Amino acid sequence: MNIYQELQSDLGIAPVHHGYLKSWAEQGVLLLNAVLTVRAHQANSHRGKGWEDLTDAAIKALSARGGVVFILWGRSAQNKRPFIDEGKNVVIASAHPSPLSAYRGFFGSKPFSRTNAALVQMGEQPINWQLPKHVERAD
């Protein structure tokens, strides 16, 4: 919900009532946590189980490709900054959007407009961050 709140503050896009982000993915947005699984209600419970090797490799590969905007939310993400070639990519960093830290620098960080500005400067298309109001999924 905090991400949607910042999206509205940053770009004036009203929040939706779902988390279906397919339209972002189709435009090249990849949301990636350092650890890909967790026990319910136990943050970092699967840290050190091997996920970090996979996600670090993905970050390094994307960085080597260049022309990527990395949005690093929170300390864990910002610890990945050394894997990013900032001569070939753009890094936007802020506090994590979680309820525990959103007021310490996530709100007001304008990650969506800053990402689009960086993409345009690189000669790329900006992201259309508007999500559909209703989602129809085929199961």
Side-chain angles (χ1 to χ4, degrees):
M1 296 312 301
N2 288 345
I3 293 170
Y4 288 165
Q5 186 176 334
E6 179 61 19
L7 183 60
Q8 183 170 28
S9 173
D10 186 4
L11 296 177
I13 295 173
V16 294
H17 300 287
H18 61 78
Y20 192 60
L21 307 178
K22 181 180 178 185
S23 66
W24 290 2
E26 290 173 337
Q27 296 174 80
V29 174
L30 172 65
L31 301 175
L32 182 67
N33 284 322
V35 177
L36 302 179
T37 62
V38 65
R39 265 185 243 107
H41 312 292
Q42 295 181 26
N44 295 312
S45 58
H46 291 171
R47 182 187 300 184
K49 305 281 186 194
W51 285 123
E52 295 90 342
D53 295 335
L54 176 66
T55 56
D56 289 354
I59 292 166
K60 291 172 186 175
L62 288 168
S63 175
R65 188 178 124 193
V68 176
V69 178
F70 289 88
I71 304 172
L72 306 179
W73 285 334
R75 185 164 301 165
S76 290
Q78 290 165 21
N79 288 340
K80 306 300 181 181
R81 198 169 190 153
F83 301 147
I84 301 168
D85 180 344
E86 294 189 49
K88 295 167 54 174
N89 302 286
V90 172
V91 172
I92 296 169
S94 74
H96 194 275
S98 77
L100 298 175
S101 58
Y103 288 97
R104 288 187 251 149
F106 175 72
F107 289 135
S109 64
K110 301 190 177 301
F112 307 102
S113 61
R114 291 171 63 200
T115 295
N116 281 352
L119 288 169
V120 168
Q121 188 170 7
M122 289 188 275
E124 300 292 336
Q125 289 293 314
I127 302 297
N128 175 3
W129 296 104
Q130 179 69 61
L131 293 167
K133 289 185 183 199
H134 303 287
V135 178
E136 293 182 30
R137 292 186 246 180
D139 292 86

